[in-house]
Amino acid sequence: MAVPLLSIRNLTVQFRVDTGWVTAIDDVSLDVGTGDCVGVVGESGSGKSVTALSVLQLHDRVTTRMPSGSILYQGDDLLRAKGSTMRRIRGSEIAMIFQDPMSSLNPVLTVADQISETLRQHQGLTGAAARKRVIELLGLVRIPDAARRADDYPHRLSGGMRQRVMIAMAIACKPRLLIADEPTTALDVTIQAQILELLRDLRRELSMSVMLISHDLGVIAEFAQRVVVMYAGRVVEDAPVTQLFRRPVHPYTMGLIAAVPALDSDAPRLTTIAGRIPGPQEIIPGCRFSPRCALVLQGCREEPPSMQMVSDGQSARCPPRIQVLDVRHV
Amino acid sequence: MPVILIISILAFLLLSLLPGDPAMIIAGDQASPAAIEQVRRQLGLDRSFLEQLGIWLFNLARGNFGSSLILNQSVLSAVGERLPVTLSLAALSIGFTIPVGVFLGSLAAYFRRTWIDSAVMTVALLGVSIPAFWIAILGVILFSVQLGWVPSSGFAPISQGVGRWFASMALPALILSLFQIGFLARMTRSAMLDVLSQDYIRTARAKGLSEWRTVGKHALRNALILIITATGILLSAAIGGSVIIEQVFALPGIGRMVVQAIMARDYPLVQGTMLILGFTFVMINLIVDILYTLADPRVRHD
Amino acid sequence: MTDVGIGAPATAAAIAAPRGHGTLRRLLRHRSFLIGFTIIALLAILALLAPLIAPVDPSAMRVRFRFRPPQAAFWFGTDQFGRDIFTRVLYGTRISLFVGFAVCVVSGLCSAILGVIAAQFRRLDSAIMRLMDALMSFPAILLALGIAAALGPRVSSVIIALTVAYIPAGVRIVRAAALTVREMDYVQAAQVSGASSLRIVLRHILPNCFSPLLVHLTFIFAYAMLAEAALSFLGVGIQPPIASWGNIIAEGRDYATQAWWVMLFPGIAISLAALSLNLLGDALGDMLDPRLKGGE
């Protein structure tokens, strides 16, 4: 098998709090192959955004540390890369868009300023050449009247338009990997669909790999080929999207799928998983999902489960369930 | 504009704060009844309160801020004569303050919770805590008397050469800046802390920009909007502080004149000078507001 | 927005939960608070006990002991009249703390009343705020100088002058806080349910203005002490022979090169007092009102 474009191996990230360090994500591994689209799903607090920010090391340096693990980009460990190497990769090899387009653009610089900055940084484009490319990019993300919009300040644009600007900025240097951290969460439903469609088209046109972070399994199902499910800082299941919906292994994944509203049913209310996700400071022995798990066994509360292969391409962190499934299939 | 009217009335009321008969107080303890009567007539104190107010406002409208009792000069020309000194002092100290204060504050914010932050903030705290007049006297003893680096007092106008002007103003201006630098560094730090935690800073880093560009361009531009609002306070502190600094360094500025006028009971001069300064600050605040609008595109367009 | 529908209240709430009753404990663990509080408390005790601690009368002139440098008998040395500087600084602490505290209390009360009135009654709002703008157009120290000079050199004049100079900033802070609270749902709800305005002001609005005002007043305490020293130094504040830090420095200034100790110690005392209050203000700002970190 070829080396994946991005491979996160056993990554642990810790944040500083008043009393010491707490572990935000623990032993996280996932791969994004060339041309792949991988979705990372989980509720807020699951560590999916922390994982995404780790790739480009955009965490606050003072309050964050990564004591173990590696992030391999084309085989090189980014966690051991020099600052200048990291800066060359950011925005040019790996680009990122964020959840809130309202606050992610600098309010005192024009759209053109902010996009051309990336072009200058990585391609040395300035002046008229940069401006021409900016307008081209704004057209590419389907912003009408691009030449005029280029000179606007962000507050003059709607949320959807701002996210398009963010996308234009991200694809400016034709990155090989785009990390999209909840790109549609802050937007209206109709705009969400447009932005997702734009991302899908751009991905094909530019042959980018995409890592899409979302709390919305519906969005992931539409967009991704592979899904990584995270819960309380750990990966609990990793599977191709069809496989995941056909046969979810981890009870948490089952809960997530049951909670997706089906458009064709007139079910009166959504199924929910009882309880809440534990904070990083809470100590839960054994499986971190066990307090909420409907299928919990005695052993779940004692031994922290490990990630195990279920079948080709699918693995999960729930030994009892894997055992049950095996028995049934034999 | 109503503010200008209120300032005028407040300055007018200052005289009525004097306990007892203003004419008697101004003329002094040993004055003869005739002299007191003359002061009374000269200041229009023999008229009714409303008449006095009317005359005061009418004169102001014509640009007449009254005249000094001791200087034999109108308030306007007395202030005008001493303006270059005070202005030199204030301008020079603001010139020291803004780059140093903004740099120190940004440094502390960027390296927050490290020894750099603690060191910078301790210096800033000392700046806002140590009384300027005290450090000024110590400064004179050290730099003028002991080391002989700068003249201990007196003002050399810029027409006598920039070098001499700077030598006469450098120490007073520097000491005047200490409080302001402390104030501005503390203010900049908290503005910068706020800005550095914003999402658009993360976006700038995600683009691959250097830390220098991220902080120096993206963060500072936004923090400057907050800092501009502080410049009015800084100027106010500079002018207020110059009253004391001019006294210590014997600089013939407006502040020293006000103190002398108070000692000599030249209340019309005090009144008129306060009023001119009040008007000046209304203007300064207006300019600050305009700068603020220019710096923030969100305000500019709406 | 399609919601996953997992019953998940924010984790932040869970982490924040123990905060409520811990304010005092966290305050006691705050380093700036501890240092600031200790120094100012010590100064206050020294000021209160001055007559007991002081070796001699602050105004006692003993010409044969003039200009003695600091030594065992005269800790801070003596001045041109042979007065003991340690005793004078100690008595100066009383005056400075008293002036600072009085300015705090009086300007705090006036700010609270005017600020709440401005926030509650639209018709008075612009009148009050224009007046405050006008007062703020004069540099505080100059305004205080003018008023103190007009009222005559007395302790009470200094207090009145500084109070007037510092009221406008306080009114702005209270008004801003009161306006914010007034828009809160629970206050609106109280209004709808027919609570009287007085009751709303007393129960909801005033308590919420308290934190920002307290933080502000701590800084005002420091500013007022610095300003009192400056006014006394200029000769319009506390008059000799009453000892105040400012006038000891003014008197010592003429002999600064030969008897540096006369003006050195009162200056250190002022700096120490202002420093501790600034530390205290920073700590209170951190703890009580994180929004206030930005200053004005």
Side-chain angles (χ1 to χ4, degrees), chain A:
Chain A
M1 210 170 91
V3 178
L5 184 65
L6 178 78
S7 177
I8 300 176
R9 297 285 93 188
N10 313 102
L11 183 69
T12 300
V13 175
Q14 296 180 323
F15 291 142
R16 189 156 86 181
V17 292
D18 289 343
T19 49
W21 294 88
V22 298
T23 303
I25 62 170
D26 189 15
D27 192 27
V28 166
S29 297
L30 65 88
D31 289 346
V32 183
T34 306
D36 265 5
C37 179
V38 174
V40 180
V41 71
E43 44 193 313
S44 51
S46 64
K48 54 191 193 306
S49 287
V50 176
T51 310
L53 289 171
S54 305
V55 177
L56 287 180
Q57 291 159 49
L58 294 175
H59 294 298
D60 186 306
R61 230 177 300 163
V62 182
T63 58
T64 313
R65 67 177 185 192
M66 302 184 206
S68 63
S70 52
I71 298 171
L72 304 173
Y73 175 71
Q74 297 185 312
D76 298 324
D77 189 354
L78 297 183
L79 293 184
R80 274 157 199 80
K82 280 190 301 190
S84 56
T85 312
M86 237 8 256
R87 279 203 294 281
R88 194 181 47 71
I89 289 173
R90 289 185 191 132
S92 126
E93 299 273 325
I94 305 175
M96 191 158 178
I97 55 178
F98 301 99
Q99 172 168 355
D100 191 353
M102 296 292 173
S103 58
S104 294
L105 290 169
N106 194 325
V108 300
L109 300 173
T110 63
V111 166
D113 283 342
Q114 299 191 52
I115 300 177
S116 58
E117 207 172 29
T118 319
L119 297 170
R120 198 176 95 158
Q121 182 75 23
H122 299 293
Q123 301 183 335
L125 276 185
T126 51
R131 181 162 180 91
K132 190 166 156 269
R133 177 76 177 133
V134 166
I135 292 168
E136 201 178 294
L137 282 164
L138 289 177
L140 213 56
V141 295
R142 298 168 202 164
I143 288 182
D145 206 2
R148 259 205 12 230
R149 285 301 184 194
D151 296 318
D152 270 341
Y153 286 95
H155 74 276
R156 308 266 286 177
L157 307 175
S158 67
M161 283 295 164
R162 289 188 215 188
Q163 196 60 296
R164 285 170 201 269
V165 171
M166 283 296 292
I167 295 171
M169 217 149 77
I171 63 168
C173 299
K174 302 203 178 93
R176 305 196 56 188
L177 172 65
L178 177 69
I179 300 174
D181 185 3
E182 303 254 15
T184 58
T185 305
L187 305 174
D188 290 343
V189 181
T190 48
I191 310 290
Q192 281 187 19
Q194 290 173 13
I195 295 287
L196 280 178
E197 198 185 308
L198 175 67
L199 282 175
R200 205 184 340 247
D201 293 350
L202 287 172
R203 187 188 147 228
R204 208 177 39 237
E205 285 163 33
L206 303 170
S207 54
M208 290 185 292
S209 304
V210 173
M211 179 170 158
L212 176 71
I213 317 291
S214 180
H215 66 277
D216 187 340
L217 196 55
V219 167
I220 301 269
E222 263 180 68
F223 200 85
Q225 298 143 351
R226 264 195 98 70
V227 183
V228 173
V229 182
M230 288 191 69
Y231 182 81
R234 293 208 176 102
V235 173
V236 294
E237 187 155 5
D238 183 342
V241 68
T242 44
Q243 183 73 5
L244 188 87
F245 276 88
R246 199 165 57 79
R247 194 192 61 186
V249 174
H250 200 281
Y252 179 66
T253 315
M254 296 161 69
L256 277 185
I257 292 172
V260 175
L263 288 177
D264 52 354
S265 87
D266 48 6
R269 65 187 183 88
L270 301 175
T271 320
T272 61
I273 304 173
R276 56 168 188 82
I277 195 164
Q281 279 163 303
E282 289 174 55
I283 296 159
I284 295 168
C287 173
R288 292 185 52 91
F289 186 62
S290 59
R292 296 171 75 184
C293 185
L295 308 171
V296 66
L297 301 172
Q298 185 53 41
C300 297
R301 294 180 200 205
E302 286 154 12
E303 191 76 2
S306 60
M307 207 63 179
Q308 286 176 10
M309 186 85 95
V310 184
S311 60
D312 194 29
Q314 184 172 22
S315 48
R317 204 185 279 273
C318 188
R321 273 279 293 161
I322 294 172
Q323 222 171 3
V324 170
L325 290 169
D326 277 351
V327 170
R328 213 180 279 163
H329 280 271
V330 167

